[in-house]
Amino acid sequence: MSIDSQSGSEFSPEEIAELVKQSKPKHVAIIMDGNGRWAQAQGKPRVMGHKAGVKTVRRAVSTAREMGIGSLTLFAFSSENWRRPDKEVSLLMELFFTVLQREIKLLHKNGVRLNIIGDISRFSARLQKQIAAAEAKTAGNTELILNVAANYGGRWDIMQAAQALAKKVEAGEISSSQFTEEALSQHLCMQNQAEVDLMIRTGGDYRISNFILWQAAYAELVFTDTLWPDFDENAFKSAVATFASRQRRFGLTGCQIETMQSES
């Protein structure tokens, strides 16, 4: 089994050897935090921070492509964000729709495949239609997979995968003994992509906020005080450099990892 298709917690010796030799991540996830605070610091409405954050998304996608990163996952709207003021949520939904309309041609031109992860059933029919159209237009692109987490929660992701497997058990399609980590992983969002190697959070907080809990089980975490609208190419590359400087052990000792690296 290749590492790109595996989302369980067990790696073979060959896969671990491959992972510890990585100088750059295959899959980067970013919690884009600080838009509202960025705007408030400038005496602007919070929505202006979200609009500024869209420009940063564009830069991040360009940087990821330039660096040869295979997947970039961005936390755009969590399942908990519905608790925000109604006006802000409405503005975010409208901004999401507008960005899909405006950016999809550029993404397609640059070979980026858009993949929306999360429970989109709560969105308006208009927005769901726009999501489907954007995904369909870019479905054949291979330069970069851009996963946008919208109405997403890590616990929701694991739960919906478990429910899908439970239904198969109830229907007699599989036995309970076949309810394994590997089987569960095949029902998660991003099931056919590499696991997350690097997770970045901007904005100065030190938590992962129910984001891709399963897929980031072995991710290196980088936290920065930089607010998302100010997260530029250099900040992105600095986070990747931090990733490259760390020793990933996957349960092994430091000496074992050093031996693997010396044999490469």
Side-chain angles (χ1 to χ4, degrees):
M1 179 182 295
S2 70
I3 190 62
D4 282 354
S5 66
Q6 178 166 338
S7 298
S9 60
E10 298 297 328
F11 298 113
S12 71
E14 293 78 13
E15 288 166 338
I16 292 175
E18 178 188 347
L19 286 165
V20 300
K21 293 171 186 174
Q22 283 182 240
S23 60
K24 66 181 179 184
K26 293 181 180 180
H27 191 160
V28 176
I30 307 178
I31 300 174
M32 308 179 294
D33 199 14
N35 289 334
R37 283 173 286 152
W38 180 89
Q40 289 173 333
Q42 300 185 46
K44 299 177 180 179
R46 286 176 58 86
V47 70
M48 296 306 295
H50 296 303
K51 290 181 178 179
V54 172
K55 296 179 181 179
T56 307
V57 169
R58 195 180 298 127
R59 287 199 304 263
V61 171
S62 177
T63 303
R65 284 186 66 252
E66 175 192 330
M67 298 183 73
I69 291 168
S71 296
L72 176 65
T73 300
L74 303 177
F75 206 5
F77 190 85
S78 78
S79 50
E80 288 80 20
N81 285 156
W82 294 105
R83 302 169 186 166
R84 292 188 176 189
D86 291 343
K87 183 177 180 180
E88 181 173 349
V89 170
S90 296
L91 289 169
L92 283 171
M93 292 299 104
E94 191 58 35
L95 179 61
F96 189 18
F97 181 86
T98 301
V99 168
L100 283 172
Q101 279 189 317
R102 189 176 62 200
E103 299 293 325
I104 197 61
K105 289 183 180 179
L106 183 62
L107 291 175
H108 185 50
K109 179 180 178 181
N110 287 292
V112 178
R113 175 159 69 90
L114 181 65
N115 181 41
I116 306 298
I117 62 173
D119 181 8
I120 68 169
S121 64
R122 192 168 174 181
F123 296 150
S124 68
R126 173 173 170 260
L127 181 52
Q128 289 184 53
K129 183 178 179 180
Q130 190 66 33
I131 288 171
E135 289 182 326
K137 185 176 182 65
T138 62
N141 295 338
T142 58
E143 286 293 311
L144 171 73
I145 300 174
L146 174 60
N147 303 296
V148 176
N151 195 26
Y152 177 90
R155 291 178 176 176
W156 165 85
D157 195 3
I158 295 170
M159 179 60 72
Q160 62 86 25
Q163 289 174 336
L165 269 188
K167 288 179 180 177
K168 289 187 175 182
V169 173
E170 289 176 352
E173 296 175 19
I174 63 172
S175 66
S176 58
S177 63
Q178 292 174 295
F179 198 126
T180 62
E181 286 190 20
E182 184 175 350
L184 183 67
S185 71
Q186 293 304 307
H187 290 81
L188 293 166
C189 295
M190 306 187 295
Q191 69 269 30
N192 295 317
Q193 299 178 45
E195 282 200 336
V196 174
D197 298 306
L198 170 63
M199 182 186 289
I200 305 165
R201 180 173 186 140
T202 64
D205 286 328
Y206 297 81
R207 54 180 176 267
I208 59 174
S209 298
N210 193 25
F211 188 35
I212 50 175
L213 302 177
W214 184 288
Q215 298 90 334
Y218 286 92
E220 293 298 316
L221 307 180
V222 172
F223 299 97
T224 174
D225 291 334
T226 303
L227 301 176
W228 178 245
D230 294 325
F231 189 80
D232 58 15
E233 179 182 357
N234 289 332
F236 196 155
K237 290 184 175 180
S238 176
V240 172
T242 297
F243 166 86
S245 71
R246 293 183 181 172
Q247 185 185 72
R248 306 178 78 196
R249 291 192 286 273
F250 301 95
L252 303 181
T253 67
C255 289
Q256 286 175 299
I257 297 301
E258 289 168 6
T259 298
M260 285 183 179
Q261 291 172 327
S262 67
E263 292 175 348
S264 61

